[in-house]
Every structure is written in structure tokens, then in C-alpha cells.
Amino acid sequence: RNGKYVDKFPVKLRSPASNTLAVFDYENNKDYRLCIAGEDKKIYVYDRSGVPVRGWTPFTTKGRVSDQVSFFRVKGKDYLVIADDQAVFLLDRTGNIRVSLREQVVKAKKSALRLTRDNEPVLVCTSPDGTLVNILFDGTVKRYAGQQKFSENHSFDILDIDGDGADEYIFLDQGQLAVYDDNKSGIFSRTFETKDLRGPYKYIFSGSDKRLGVYDNGVKQIFLLNRNGVNAIGFPRTGGPMFTIGKLSGGSNWNFIMDGADGYLYNYGLSVGIN
């Protein structure tokens, strides 16, 4: 906290990193694990002191890993999930394959890889052509092609926007935000001024107040959308691409913090619970 290196750090990696660091606490006992992928296509795991974890065999992927390693616990079993540019792998804590997929899955570059909250949870992502992919934990892979076509540059994520207990599917592509329900039916879409978009960003204020953020880099505007796709009060705002929403104190007030084009950092209060 004084800006000095923690004891035993910095740690020299065995290979230059190809992704950003992921940190897990499997048992919530502060026995942290630091997972990082190398340019040598191996996944390395260190303990909180930067020492390679005993019992972990560095897993070798087929291609380059640029996304963070993900950790999920499903029905008492742990899964480390890795997506490279050629395949998706489900490993156990030792670096061995826990589930062998019955067919190869290639995740879209900007697709999130999420765990649904269904009675039988599945991993969900999209393929480069925008096809929705469900990965079951018995190795089964199910694919769902939507009516709308998406480019390889699309972004994808999920969020229960309407609070009905089922996740909605969120696509951002070619200047448009499109949201579908769990039956793959369209809920709403928004078309922006330019095609140079970043997001979608998810913000959860309460069980009934969930919103989506989009940054239009072409016009330097930040959008915050209510669950029906309408602009939240006070938006859009002109600013830079770096912004966040959170609480700066233990109270009930929410803050929207953004970087301005004039070099200043701005802090606004948000109206929540208003749709």
C-alpha cells in the first residue's frame, strides 16, 4: 500500500504473457491462485507468492490465448475454462482436461464466455459468425443460429435485464445493439450514429434495475440504456472511452465517473430506480 514491491515480486514469467492475469480463490480462504497464459501456448498457475503451484501441470493450448482464464464451480466440481483462437478447454485444478467436448468450439474474439443460472447450468458464448453456442458439462455442444447475421467483429454477453430469472443475449455489431430473450426473440435494438462502438458494459443497481453501457467512439459519446433500450436520465454524455459506475462510499448513492476530452476527470451522481 506504500507503493513498494510486495515481497518476492516482481516475478519473471517463463514466457511473455499473451493475456491478462486472472486471480482465483477456490475455497474463499485467501489461498489465491494466479493464472496466466504465455506466448509459448502454456497456461501457468502461481500462488500468492509468485511460486509455481505444485500439482499443476502447465496445460498446452492449440492456439494463442488472449482472454483471461475463467473459473466456475458447478455441482461441487471446479472448472478452469480456457479459450484460445482455435478451441475451448475445460480443465481441472491440476491442468488436466476435465471435460472433453464432443465437437470443437471456436469462440468469437469479442464474445464473453459465461455460465448461465439455469437448473442445468451451461457455458454460453458465440462463434465467429454469431451463432450462439451452449457447452454442457457432459461435453455436449449445442448451436443456435439466429435470424440476424453478425460479423466476426461482434461483441456478445448475457444479462438478466428484465429480472425474470432468465438471461438475455446481448449483441453489439456494426453500429447496432440487439438484445434477445432466452427464446431467441428480439426484445429491443438500438442503432447508433457510427459503427465504431465499444461494449456492451453491464451495470446492476438492483434486482429490477439493470442497464447497459455503450461507447460510440465515432462521436465520443457514452450511452447508458435502461432495460427497454431507452437512454437513462442524463445520457448520452460526451467524453472519453474510460468510464465506470460504482459507489464511492457506503451509502445508497451511485457515481458515474468519466474522463473528459479536456483532460479532467468528472464525477456525476446517477438517478437509479427510474426507468
Side-chain angles (χ1 to χ4, degrees):
R1 66 182 181 181
N2 295 323
K4 297 180 180 179
Y5 287 125
V6 174
D7 188 32
K8 299 183 180 180
F9 283 87
V11 171
K12 184 175 178 58
L13 299 176
R14 298 185 181 183
S15 171
S18 64
N19 67 348
T20 54
L21 182 70
V23 180
F24 306 123
D25 184 2
Y26 297 140
E27 306 295 342
N28 293 319
N29 60 1
K30 298 184 179 180
D31 187 16
Y32 298 104
R33 293 293 182 261
L34 288 69
C35 300
I36 193 94
E39 292 286 0
D40 59 358
K41 300 181 181 180
K42 291 185 178 181
I43 307 297
Y44 296 96
V45 179
Y46 300 87
D47 65 18
R48 62 187 297 176
S49 298
V51 177
V53 171
R54 291 183 179 180
W56 172 265
T57 302
F59 180 78
T60 302
T61 61
K62 293 182 179 180
R64 187 177 188 274
V65 176
S66 57
D67 291 342
Q68 279 187 329
V69 177
S70 300
F71 169 70
F72 302 103
R73 177 166 290 169
V74 179
K75 296 183 177 181
K77 293 184 179 181
D78 295 335
Y79 299 86
L80 289 169
V81 182
I82 297 148
D84 64 18
D85 53 13
Q86 300 180 35
V88 174
F89 307 94
L90 278 65
L91 311 181
D92 61 19
R93 286 197 203 177
T94 66
N96 293 312
I97 291 179
R98 165 151 270 170
V99 177
S100 295
L101 301 188
R102 298 180 187 178
E103 57 183 277
Q104 185 168 313
V105 174
V106 179
K107 186 183 74 66
K109 185 187 305 183
K110 295 183 180 179
S111 169
L113 184 61
R114 303 296 189 198
L115 182 69
T116 67
R117 299 174 301 157
D118 304 331
N119 291 331
E120 291 295 330
V122 301
L123 293 172
V124 61
C125 65
T126 54
S127 59
D129 65 356
T131 298
L132 189 68
V133 181
N134 285 358
I135 301 172
L136 284 64
F137 289 91
D138 64 356
T140 302
V141 176
K142 297 183 178 180
R143 304 176 190 270
Y144 304 91
Q147 296 180 353
Q148 185 173 350
K149 300 296 183 181
F150 296 98
S151 74
E152 290 188 0
N153 201 42
H154 76 272
S155 299
F156 169 80
D157 211 332
I158 64 173
L159 177 66
D160 179 14
I161 297 174
D162 55 14
D164 66 352
D167 291 310
E168 277 70 55
Y169 305 115
I170 307 161
F171 291 84
L172 188 66
D173 188 40
Q174 298 293 302
Q176 185 182 60
L177 175 73
V179 179
Y180 300 85
D181 64 19
D182 57 323
N183 293 317
K184 289 60 173 192
S185 299
I187 296 179
F188 73 82
S189 65
R190 277 287 302 267
T191 300
F192 296 87
E193 191 169 339
T194 77
K195 295 183 178 182
D196 188 5
L197 305 179
R198 301 183 186 183
Y201 306 107
K202 304 184 297 185
Y203 301 103
I204 301 175
F205 300 99
S206 69
S208 59
D209 189 1
K210 302 173 185 179
R211 309 184 189 186
L212 297 175
V214 174
Y215 183 71
D216 190 332
N217 192 52
V219 292
K220 310 300 181 186
Q221 283 193 317
I222 302 165
F223 291 82
L224 185 65
L225 307 179
N226 294 324
R227 64 183 185 180
N228 56 4
V230 175
N231 292 335
I233 294 175
F235 288 86
R237 287 191 177 274
T238 300
M242 306 304 295
F243 60 92
T244 189
I245 295 174
K247 292 184 177 181
L248 296 181
S249 65
S252 59
N253 295 326
W254 289 85
N255 299 84
F256 169 71
I257 301 173
M258 54 164 273
D259 69 301
D262 53 4
Y264 284 88
L265 192 66
Y266 289 85
N267 178 12
Y268 297 95
L270 278 183
S271 297
V272 299
I274 300 174
N275 293 316

PDB file of all heavy atoms in Angstrom, residues 224-237:
ATOM      1  N   LEU A 224     -25.924   5.174 -21.654  1.00  0.00           N
ATOM      2  CA  LEU A 224     -26.399   4.259 -20.622  1.00  0.00           C
ATOM      3  C   LEU A 224     -27.869   4.016 -20.906  1.00  0.00           C
ATOM      4  O   LEU A 224     -28.670   4.956 -20.956  1.00  0.00           O
ATOM      5  CB  LEU A 224     -26.212   4.855 -19.223  1.00  0.00           C
ATOM      6  CG  LEU A 224     -26.564   3.928 -18.061  1.00  0.00           C
ATOM      7  CD1 LEU A 224     -25.622   2.722 -18.024  1.00  0.00           C
ATOM      8  CD2 LEU A 224     -26.510   4.675 -16.718  1.00  0.00           C
ATOM      9  N   LEU A 225     -28.235   2.747 -21.115  1.00  0.00           N
ATOM     10  CA  LEU A 225     -29.570   2.392 -21.568  1.00  0.00           C
ATOM     11  C   LEU A 225     -30.325   1.626 -20.497  1.00  0.00           C
ATOM     12  O   LEU A 225     -29.773   0.715 -19.860  1.00  0.00           O
ATOM     13  CB  LEU A 225     -29.497   1.526 -22.832  1.00  0.00           C
ATOM     14  CG  LEU A 225     -28.666   2.085 -24.001  1.00  0.00           C
ATOM     15  CD1 LEU A 225     -28.677   1.089 -25.143  1.00  0.00           C
ATOM     16  CD2 LEU A 225     -29.195   3.436 -24.453  1.00  0.00           C
ATOM     17  N   ASN A 226     -31.600   1.979 -20.297  1.00  0.00           N
ATOM     18  CA  ASN A 226     -32.473   1.217 -19.423  1.00  0.00           C
ATOM     19  C   ASN A 226     -32.838  -0.106 -20.080  1.00  0.00           C
ATOM     20  O   ASN A 226     -32.523  -0.356 -21.236  1.00  0.00           O
ATOM     21  CB  ASN A 226     -33.727   2.026 -19.093  1.00  0.00           C
ATOM     22  CG  ASN A 226     -33.399   3.254 -18.261  1.00  0.00           C
ATOM     23  OD1 ASN A 226     -32.522   3.208 -17.410  1.00  0.00           O
ATOM     24  ND2 ASN A 226     -34.099   4.353 -18.524  1.00  0.00           N
ATOM     25  N   ARG A 227     -33.563  -0.954 -19.355  1.00  0.00           N
ATOM     26  CA  ARG A 227     -33.830  -2.310 -19.834  1.00  0.00           C
ATOM     27  C   ARG A 227     -34.709  -2.358 -21.077  1.00  0.00           C
ATOM     28  O   ARG A 227     -34.792  -3.398 -21.731  1.00  0.00           O
ATOM     29  CB  ARG A 227     -34.469  -3.136 -18.725  1.00  0.00           C
ATOM     30  CG  ARG A 227     -35.833  -2.649 -18.273  1.00  0.00           C
ATOM     31  CD  ARG A 227     -36.332  -3.499 -17.129  1.00  0.00           C
ATOM     32  NE  ARG A 227     -37.683  -3.152 -16.724  1.00  0.00           N
ATOM     33  CZ  ARG A 227     -38.348  -3.753 -15.739  1.00  0.00           C
ATOM     34  NH1 ARG A 227     -37.748  -4.734 -15.071  1.00  0.00           N
ATOM     35  NH2 ARG A 227     -39.564  -3.399 -15.428  1.00  0.00           N
ATOM     36  N   ASN A 228     -35.351  -1.252 -21.406  1.00  0.00           N
ATOM     37  CA  ASN A 228     -36.152  -1.189 -22.633  1.00  0.00           C
ATOM     38  C   ASN A 228     -35.408  -0.526 -23.784  1.00  0.00           C
ATOM     39  O   ASN A 228     -35.988  -0.272 -24.838  1.00  0.00           O
ATOM     40  CB  ASN A 228     -37.472  -0.464 -22.374  1.00  0.00           C
ATOM     41  CG  ASN A 228     -37.270   0.931 -21.794  1.00  0.00           C
ATOM     42  OD1 ASN A 228     -36.129   1.379 -21.647  1.00  0.00           O
ATOM     43  ND2 ASN A 228     -38.354   1.597 -21.453  1.00  0.00           N
ATOM     44  N   GLY A 229     -34.100  -0.236 -23.576  1.00  0.00           N
ATOM     45  CA  GLY A 229     -33.290   0.344 -24.637  1.00  0.00           C
ATOM     46  C   GLY A 229     -33.336   1.852 -24.720  1.00  0.00           C
ATOM     47  O   GLY A 229     -32.698   2.445 -25.599  1.00  0.00           O
ATOM     48  N   VAL A 230     -34.070   2.506 -23.823  1.00  0.00           N
ATOM     49  CA  VAL A 230     -34.183   3.964 -23.812  1.00  0.00           C
ATOM     50  C   VAL A 230     -33.019   4.561 -23.022  1.00  0.00           C
ATOM     51  O   VAL A 230     -32.550   3.972 -22.036  1.00  0.00           O
ATOM     52  CB  VAL A 230     -35.531   4.394 -23.201  1.00  0.00           C
ATOM     53  CG1 VAL A 230     -35.620   5.907 -23.069  1.00  0.00           C
ATOM     54  CG2 VAL A 230     -36.678   3.863 -24.040  1.00  0.00           C
ATOM     55  N   ASN A 231     -32.552   5.737 -23.438  1.00  0.00           N
ATOM     56  CA  ASN A 231     -31.468   6.399 -22.726  1.00  0.00           C
ATOM     57  C   ASN A 231     -31.846   6.658 -21.269  1.00  0.00           C
ATOM     58  O   ASN A 231     -32.959   7.133 -20.977  1.00  0.00           O
ATOM     59  CB  ASN A 231     -31.119   7.733 -23.381  1.00  0.00           C
ATOM     60  CG  ASN A 231     -30.493   7.568 -24.744  1.00  0.00           C
ATOM     61  OD1 ASN A 231     -29.899   6.531 -25.044  1.00  0.00           O
ATOM     62  ND2 ASN A 231     -30.608   8.587 -25.579  1.00  0.00           N
ATOM     63  N   ALA A 232     -30.921   6.349 -20.357  1.00  0.00           N
ATOM     64  CA  ALA A 232     -31.120   6.705 -18.965  1.00  0.00           C
ATOM     65  C   ALA A 232     -31.058   8.223 -18.814  1.00  0.00           C
ATOM     66  O   ALA A 232     -30.499   8.933 -19.662  1.00  0.00           O
ATOM     67  CB  ALA A 232     -30.048   6.042 -18.095  1.00  0.00           C
ATOM     68  N   ILE A 233     -31.629   8.736 -17.740  1.00  0.00           N
ATOM     69  CA  ILE A 233     -31.641  10.179 -17.500  1.00  0.00           C
ATOM     70  C   ILE A 233     -30.209  10.715 -17.464  1.00  0.00           C
ATOM     71  O   ILE A 233     -29.341  10.171 -16.790  1.00  0.00           O
ATOM     72  CB  ILE A 233     -32.357  10.493 -16.175  1.00  0.00           C
ATOM     73  CG1 ILE A 233     -33.846  10.131 -16.277  1.00  0.00           C
ATOM     74  CG2 ILE A 233     -32.203  11.960 -15.805  1.00  0.00           C
ATOM     75  CD1 ILE A 233     -34.607  10.281 -14.984  1.00  0.00           C
ATOM     76  N   GLY A 234     -29.949  11.782 -18.214  1.00  0.00           N
ATOM     77  CA  GLY A 234     -28.631  12.394 -18.244  1.00  0.00           C
ATOM     78  C   GLY A 234     -27.705  11.882 -19.326  1.00  0.00           C
ATOM     79  O   GLY A 234     -26.552  12.316 -19.405  1.00  0.00           O
ATOM     80  N   PHE A 235     -28.198  10.950 -20.150  1.00  0.00           N
ATOM     81  CA  PHE A 235     -27.363  10.359 -21.200  1.00  0.00           C
ATOM     82  C   PHE A 235     -28.033  10.545 -22.557  1.00  0.00           C
ATOM     83  O   PHE A 235     -29.253  10.682 -22.643  1.00  0.00           O
ATOM     84  CB  PHE A 235     -27.155   8.870 -20.911  1.00  0.00           C
ATOM     85  CG  PHE A 235     -26.241   8.617 -19.743  1.00  0.00           C
ATOM     86  CD1 PHE A 235     -26.750   8.592 -18.446  1.00  0.00           C
ATOM     87  CD2 PHE A 235     -24.888   8.427 -19.932  1.00  0.00           C
ATOM     88  CE1 PHE A 235     -25.914   8.384 -17.363  1.00  0.00           C
ATOM     89  CE2 PHE A 235     -24.044   8.213 -18.853  1.00  0.00           C
ATOM     90  CZ  PHE A 235     -24.561   8.185 -17.566  1.00  0.00           C
ATOM     91  N   PRO A 236     -27.166  10.565 -23.616  1.00  0.00           N
ATOM     92  CA  PRO A 236     -25.721  10.312 -23.647  1.00  0.00           C
ATOM     93  C   PRO A 236     -24.911  11.501 -23.137  1.00  0.00           C
ATOM     94  O   PRO A 236     -25.403  12.619 -23.076  1.00  0.00           O
ATOM     95  CB  PRO A 236     -25.451  10.069 -25.131  1.00  0.00           C
ATOM     96  CG  PRO A 236     -26.495  10.870 -25.828  1.00  0.00           C
ATOM     97  CD  PRO A 236     -27.718  10.776 -24.975  1.00  0.00           C
ATOM     98  N   ARG A 237     -23.663  11.227 -22.817  1.00  0.00           N
ATOM     99  CA  ARG A 237     -22.720  12.261 -22.394  1.00  0.00           C
ATOM    100  C   ARG A 237     -21.480  12.206 -23.275  1.00  0.00           C
ATOM    101  O   ARG A 237     -21.010  11.127 -23.629  1.00  0.00           O
ATOM    102  CB  ARG A 237     -22.316  12.081 -20.930  1.00  0.00           C
ATOM    103  CG  ARG A 237     -23.414  12.450 -19.954  1.00  0.00           C
ATOM    104  CD  ARG A 237     -22.880  12.508 -18.540  1.00  0.00           C
ATOM    105  NE  ARG A 237     -23.905  12.936 -17.607  1.00  0.00           N
ATOM    106  CZ  ARG A 237     -24.188  14.208 -17.332  1.00  0.00           C
ATOM    107  NH1 ARG A 237     -23.501  15.167 -17.928  1.00  0.00           N
ATOM    108  NH2 ARG A 237     -25.130  14.508 -16.461  1.00  0.00           N
TER     109      ARG A 237
END
